[in-house]
Amino acid sequence: PMTRVIHEQRGTIDKYMGDAIMAFWGAPIDDRDHAKHALDAGMQMLQRLDEVNAQFVSRGWPEIQIGIGINTGMMSVGNMGSEFRIAYTVLGDAVNLGSRLEGLTKGYNVPLIVSESTKDAVPEYAYRELDRVRVKGKDKPVVIYQPLCLVEDLDKEWKAELKLYREALRLYRGQEWDMAEMNLLNLQRTSRSPGLYKVYVERVAQYRASAP
């Protein structure tokens, strides 16, 4: 089902790696909207996962979860390898960052993480800033986001939550631990996606005892 979504959104399957799929957009056929098609695919994969899990539950099987990382940037694409084996694939820093973002999904309790470059390339979506992180192989921190829905579909509850969360982030980064914790606990109680706030509440407790 996930492969079908990628194909429907004009993606190219690079390879299957155990339980993972690596895919890219914009090659071999040029696609000006490659970033949006990649993000559309990611969001549709999560919808398709709900359908798959409903089938699993009806059969008495455990549900499964996935993590998706998307990055947009310059990379090398083409036939690469040696005289013994050649594969059509992509290489570069931008590719590696996409993989790193996928690996961060569990740590932030969210199913999909995109980089700032993807966010900037796809303004049609509304996003929740997750953090500033220094990923493996990078010296400077990168800002990471969770896409929520199309901007036109953002309801009043999400707008109110995002406003309160931005204030909580400001307090957190200013090391105003008590006020930050109060806001984050409120968010954790009322959010439809509270896992992220649990991470921050635990951090506040840690930093209160030992400030960064």
Side-chain angles (χ1 to χ4, degrees):
M2 303 303 152
T3 295
R4 195 171 298 119
V5 170
I6 292 169
H7 282 173
E8 288 168 356
Q9 290 299 327
R10 302 177 62 177
T12 300
I13 301 275
D14 185 294
K15 60 177 74 74
Y16 297 97
M17 304 178 292
D19 64 349
I21 305 172
M22 177 178 170
F24 55 89
W25 276 256
I29 299 172
D30 188 44
D31 178 6
R32 290 186 177 182
D33 292 325
H34 55 85
K36 184 174 186 300
H37 287 144
L39 185 46
D40 286 344
M43 298 296 276
Q44 289 176 24
M45 288 167 81
L46 296 177
Q47 294 176 0
R48 197 66 59 87
L49 182 66
D50 290 338
E51 300 168 10
V52 170
N53 277 332
Q55 296 174 17
F56 278 25
V57 170
S58 69
R59 298 178 184 182
W61 298 350
E63 295 186 18
I64 59 172
Q65 300 299 322
I66 62 174
I68 302 170
I70 302 175
N71 182 43
T72 303
M74 295 295 292
M75 59 194 70
S76 299
V77 57
N79 290 320
M80 303 181 195
S82 69
E83 61 186 282
F84 298 101
R85 186 173 186 273
I86 291 177
Y88 185 80
T89 188
V90 287
L91 292 174
D93 253 6
V95 184
N96 298 337
L97 181 55
S99 175
R100 302 279 184 261
L101 298 182
E102 183 276 326
L104 292 173
T105 54
K106 284 184 180 179
Y108 289 91
N109 295 319
V110 296
L112 200 169
I113 294 179
V114 303
S115 65
E116 191 166 20
S117 59
T118 299
K119 169 187 170 289
D120 292 343
V122 193
E124 294 91 340
Y125 277 87
Y127 301 85
R128 175 168 64 169
E129 181 181 343
L130 297 175
D131 207 354
R132 299 168 184 164
V133 297
R134 188 176 297 154
V135 296
K136 186 177 179 181
K138 291 282 188 180
D139 292 330
K140 293 184 179 180
V142 296
V143 187
I144 58 175
Y145 298 86
Q146 178 192 9
L148 302 174
C149 60
L150 291 170
V151 171
E152 61 200 47
D153 296 331
L154 195 68
D155 57 30
K156 287 190 295 185
E157 287 78 12
W158 262 125
K159 288 178 182 177
E161 179 176 329
L162 289 174
K163 184 178 180 180
L164 182 59
Y165 173 54
R166 283 191 287 268
E167 175 63 10
L169 265 186
R170 185 188 70 79
L171 293 166
Y172 168 82
R173 288 170 177 162
Q175 300 191 20
E176 298 181 45
W177 306 127
D178 292 341
M179 289 297 295
E181 183 180 55
M182 183 176 70
N183 283 10
L184 290 164
L185 287 170
N186 285 335
L187 286 163
Q188 195 175 342
R189 279 193 297 269
T190 59
S191 175
R192 70 191 78 174
S193 178
L196 171 66
Y197 308 128
K198 181 175 182 290
V199 172
Y200 272 102
V201 168
E202 291 172 354
R203 278 194 198 172
V204 167
Q206 176 187 344
Y207 288 153
R208 185 186 279 118
S210 177

